Amino acid sequence: MRIVRHRDVSIDAIAADIADGNVSVKSDFIEEGLVRTLRNEALALWSDGEFDAARVGIGDSKHLAPTVRRDWIHWLDDASLTDTQLAVAARLETLRSAINLHTFMGLFEWEGHLALYPPGSFYKRHVDVFRNNRERQVTFILYLNPDWTEGDGGELRVYETGDDISSYEDVEPRGGTLVTFLSEEVHHEVLTSQTDRLTWTGWYRTRPPHRY
Ligand code: OGA
Ligand code: MN
């Protein structure tokens, strides 16, 4: 696995990275105006109490685990997206088709949520696929932090393998950057954030979504 960083390349290049088993980092997946509107909409939902403390596990074993993750999430419902969210969803659809063409993975659709990491929050090293449920195939993370600067923390730490914690690369959660990788394979972690860190995180799935 390699981490490939792109600036001005097409969505096809991201799909090719996935086909090669690499982690794709694309800055400017969406433009700054969209990032700011999405962020403001998300912060309004946060103020209205529309985020829940994120849990770990699946089904009956789902539980709060503040030593593992401290983010808050708001599930997105495909049927009731705002106009701004729809603009992003259209691009995510283009990417889904492109990955299907490059990999024959048969990705059916995406599920996803907004996530907010208040100052002091993190998400320890993990993979995104549950042991007994492998419908999540490809992870995407879109960063909604237009004013991120060095020292704000909250970098995404991507490990090169599952068993060597000394070999990794950090990705800055700058507004508009999209990170994409194979959900089952890539061990990753969110370092402690010093500011309100926002993302739109989701997964392309092989089956229709249901909420865990
Ligand atoms: C996740 C996750 C990474 C990030 O939500 O599973 O790993 O950079 N997020 O927010
Ligand atoms: Mn993850």
Side-chain angles (χ1 to χ4, degrees):
M1 185 268 285
R2 213 157 53 88
I3 298 182
V4 185
R5 294 175 190 260
H6 299 291
R7 180 159 280 274
D8 299 313
V9 290
S10 67
I11 278 183
D12 252 5
I14 304 175
D17 290 341
I18 295 301
D20 292 342
N22 291 325
V23 174
S24 191
V25 179
K26 164 125 178 73
S27 49
D28 305 317
F29 181 73
I30 60 171
E31 51 273 23
E32 191 183 327
L34 266 182
V35 174
R36 289 194 185 275
T37 310
L38 285 168
R39 182 179 177 93
N40 290 338
E41 288 178 356
L43 289 175
L45 289 167
W46 171 255
S47 303
D48 290 346
E50 298 288 336
F51 278 68
D52 299 311
R55 293 165 184 264
V56 298
I58 185 172
D60 290 342
S61 71
K62 211 169 146 179
H63 59 283
L64 286 172
T67 57
V68 178
R69 69 184 297 190
R70 298 217 180 154
D71 56 321
W72 293 70
I73 61 177
H74 172 91
W75 280 100
L76 291 167
D77 179 356
D78 208 17
S80 57
L81 298 178
T82 66
D83 288 346
T84 319
Q85 291 167 346
L86 278 170
V88 177
R91 264 173 240 192
L92 292 171
E93 271 304 289
T94 308
L95 177 57
R96 184 179 69 84
S97 316
I99 296 173
N100 279 341
L101 282 173
H102 279 260
T103 65
F104 306 101
M105 285 175 95
L107 302 174
F108 183 82
E109 64 183 343
W110 63 270
E111 64 172 358
H113 56 60
L114 302 169
L116 193 142
Y117 289 72
S121 311
F122 50 79
Y123 191 164
K124 297 293 187 195
R125 184 167 169 275
H126 65 281
V127 289
D128 285 349
V129 171
F130 303 111
R131 249 166 315 207
N132 49 356
N133 185 317
R134 302 190 186 281
E135 291 170 13
R136 287 179 175 177
Q137 299 281 325
V138 175
T139 300
F140 60 82
I141 308 156
L142 176 61
Y143 293 110
L144 307 178
N145 311 300
D147 302 314
W148 189 91
T149 49
E150 211 73 50
D152 284 352
E155 290 88 351
L156 173 70
R157 180 157 290 178
V158 179
Y159 292 91
E160 256 154 54
T161 66
D163 38 45
D164 176 11
I165 57 164
S166 68
S167 169
Y168 56 76
E169 199 170 313
D170 290 343
V171 178
E172 299 165 347
R174 290 184 192 280
T177 296
L178 184 84
V179 178
T180 316
F181 53 80
L182 292 174
S183 306
E184 196 174 342
E185 292 185 5
V186 177
H187 293 248
H188 58 283
E189 164 176 3
V190 178
L191 303 184
T192 303
S193 182
Q194 311 299 335
T195 58
D196 281 340
R197 173 193 195 269
L198 262 162
T199 72
W200 174 334
T201 295
W203 298 272
Y204 294 115
R205 310 168 52 96
T206 48
R207 295 272 175 71
H210 36 262
R211 306 289 177 236
Y212 295 107

